[in-house]
Amino acid sequence: MKKVEAIIKPFKLDEVKDALAEVGIQGMTVTEVKGFGRTGGKKEVYRGSAYVVDFVPKVKIEIVVPDDMVNDVIDAIEKSAKTGRIGDGKIFVMPVEEAVRIRTGERGEDAI
């Protein structure tokens, strides 16, 4: 199993959700986040302390999928989230050792 995390522009969330539904994704976790990449964030000094301002609002989508679905999920997110402009986001893939559905006790891929 793999966990796919995608950081995208908020207005692209519905398109990404629809694209993921088309490849068979039935559930996901969505969080409103703030951050910046290479072009964002500016250092400022306030009362002698340096800090970074101008965090850009983003949405983080988290999905745990079987190994054989990873490429379909990545392609769906990439195509539906892309605007071609700076700040389209990132996709990260991480291994997942175990998953447990709390209600039924199912484990592994059965739990996702």
Side-chain angles (χ1 to χ4, degrees), residues 21-108:
E22 286 180 22
V23 296
I25 299 301
Q26 297 176 336
M28 66 185 73
T29 301
V30 177
T31 311
E32 292 181 9
V33 296
K34 293 181 181 182
F36 61 90
R38 289 184 206 153
T39 59
K42 298 176 185 170
K43 291 183 182 174
E44 292 193 6
V45 177
Y46 179 73
R47 294 188 178 177
S49 298
Y51 62 99
V52 178
V53 294
D54 291 340
F55 288 97
V56 180
K58 299 284 183 182
V59 171
K60 178 166 75 170
I61 300 169
E62 298 173 271
I63 311 160
V64 176
V65 297
D67 290 336
D68 61 345
M69 290 187 69
V70 171
N71 288 331
D72 292 339
V73 167
I74 291 171
D75 290 344
I77 294 170
E78 187 177 3
K79 288 175 184 166
S80 58
K82 185 174 185 175
T83 66
R85 297 194 180 108
I86 291 172
D88 275 351
K90 297 269 192 310
I91 301 171
F92 304 100
V93 180
M94 296 153 274
V96 174
E97 291 185 26
E98 182 66 278
V100 179
R101 185 185 313 262
I102 294 172
R103 179 177 56 87
T104 63
E106 292 170 290
R107 293 180 173 266

